[in-house]
Amino acid sequence: EPGAADANDPIRTELLRASLALSELRWIPCSSADALVVTQGPFVVDLVSGQTTPDFGRVAIPAGGFCGFDAPLTTNASDAVMQGKSVLLAGARADGTPFIVYAAMTGTIKMRPYPTDTIWDPSNAQAVIWALRPSRWVTQSEIDAEPTDALGARRRVIAIDLNRHPVLYNAVRNRLGSRSTLNTDINGNRRLDTEDQSAFIGLGLEDLD
């Protein structure tokens, strides 16, 4: 993704869970004559399986096309694991130590056209993929710097409640949007293939306020 300053320090182990809870999607029309289109949630987006509950479904594109969307975070999704959380990452460090990173994070992830004069309509994308890149939300060095806690008699775990780590909270919050892109799903298979990765039509903003 363009401008990834920490591109050399992503999480280097497989993520077991990476989820966001969103209250809705607000599709922004390019023309002021067209009404805002809202896809009602809440949704839980599972970035490991690529599934969204419930499914986003299709959206009706206005005549003038779309020029962005907003996705507000929520802590009120029905998923039991995400209750009280809007962001969740879980995996294992290279030495096998499990880690979990979570937050009751507030804000709105914002996606805008890239390049800026792009209009999203059927002429450039019948289907799109929102690539969120959860392995870039927290860096490997940030996980390695955290102390471990006891997990039973013999195991240790790294548990990071971002709401108790204000500096890291703000860093992750900035990355949620700025590490994401909107890509054309060229072959329509709902996966970010090699051919899709360079087909940017949108770039997430760092500002979630």
Side-chain angles (χ1 to χ4, degrees), residues 183-189 191-200:
N183 297 61
T184 301
D185 187 7
I186 294 173
N187 60 13
N189 68 350
R191 299 183 64 85
L192 189 66
D193 300 318
T194 301
E195 60 184 330
D196 304 327
Q197 291 178 14
S198 60
F200 294 113

Side-chain angles (χ1 to χ4, degrees), residues 141-155:
S141 57
E142 287 166 343
I143 291 175
D144 291 344
E146 290 295 321
T148 61
D149 299 313
L151 180 65
R154 299 184 179 181
R155 300 190 66 192

Side-chain angles (χ1 to χ4, degrees), residues 2 34 36 41 47 56-57 62 80 83 97 100 111 142 152 156 181 190 209:
D34 295 321
L36 183 75
L47 297 164
F56 285 148
Q83 275 292 305
T97 304
I100 181 169
M111 179 65 61
E142 287 166 343
R156 309 289 293 179
T181 56
R190 299 169 64 94
D209 292 321

Side-chain angles (χ1 to χ4, degrees), residues 157-205:
V157 63
I158 301 167
I160 306 173
D161 178 353
L162 292 176
N163 295 92
R164 298 176 179 270
H165 294 68
V167 174
L168 187 54
Y169 175 98
N170 287 325
V172 173
R173 192 171 183 267
N174 290 341
R175 293 169 190 153
L176 285 180
S178 63
R179 296 294 174 264
S180 69
T181 56
L182 195 70
N183 297 61
T184 301
D185 187 7
I186 294 173
N187 60 13
N189 68 350
R190 299 169 64 94
R191 299 183 64 85
L192 189 66
D193 300 318
T194 301
E195 60 184 330
D196 304 327
Q197 291 178 14
S198 60
F200 294 113
I201 60 171
L203 183 63
L205 304 185

Side-chain angles (χ1 to χ4, degrees), residues 13-32:
T13 56
E14 183 179 2
L15 289 172
L16 301 178
R17 176 140 190 176
S19 297
L20 286 177
L22 307 173
S23 61
E24 60 189 12
L25 290 180
R26 304 170 187 160
W27 298 87
I28 303 168
C30 297
S31 172
S32 59

